[in-house]
Amino acid sequence: MKKAARKLLFLACFGGFAYLLGKLAQKEEVQEKLFAVLGEDAYLAILDKVRLGGDLLMWPIDFVRALLP
């Protein structure tokens, strides 16, 4: 039981941390700094992979929404 609780706590903390990083990365100042540090090609490649990952995570929800009247 304790292992399951620890796993759940870890997943919740990791999810919250990832959410905060995502919100931080959406700010314009942070995006400009990342663009300057990484360069155009690397920045756009990372951005493309992040968007693809979001699409892959959201496809079941979008599929169910499309089926609903």
Side-chain angles (χ1 to χ4, degrees):
M1 190 69 165
K2 287 184 180 182
K3 271 190 169 181
R6 284 185 188 167
K7 244 185 212 183
L8 187 61
L9 180 63
F10 173 76
L11 288 174
C13 289
F14 183 74
F17 183 69
Y19 177 78
L20 289 176
L21 280 178
K23 283 296 184 184
L24 180 64
Q26 288 179 354
K27 291 191 175 194
E28 191 172 327
E29 303 90 30
V30 175
Q31 288 179 352
E32 289 175 3
K33 287 180 183 178
L34 284 174
F35 189 82
V37 169
L38 296 174
E40 183 178 0
D41 292 335
Y43 177 76
L44 293 176
I46 291 170
L47 186 62
D48 191 38
K49 288 176 185 167
V50 168
R51 286 182 179 160
L52 178 63
D55 289 343
L56 288 174
L57 289 174
M58 289 298 294
W59 81 263
I61 296 169
D62 293 337
F63 180 75
V64 171
R65 283 184 185 164
L67 293 176
L68 294 175

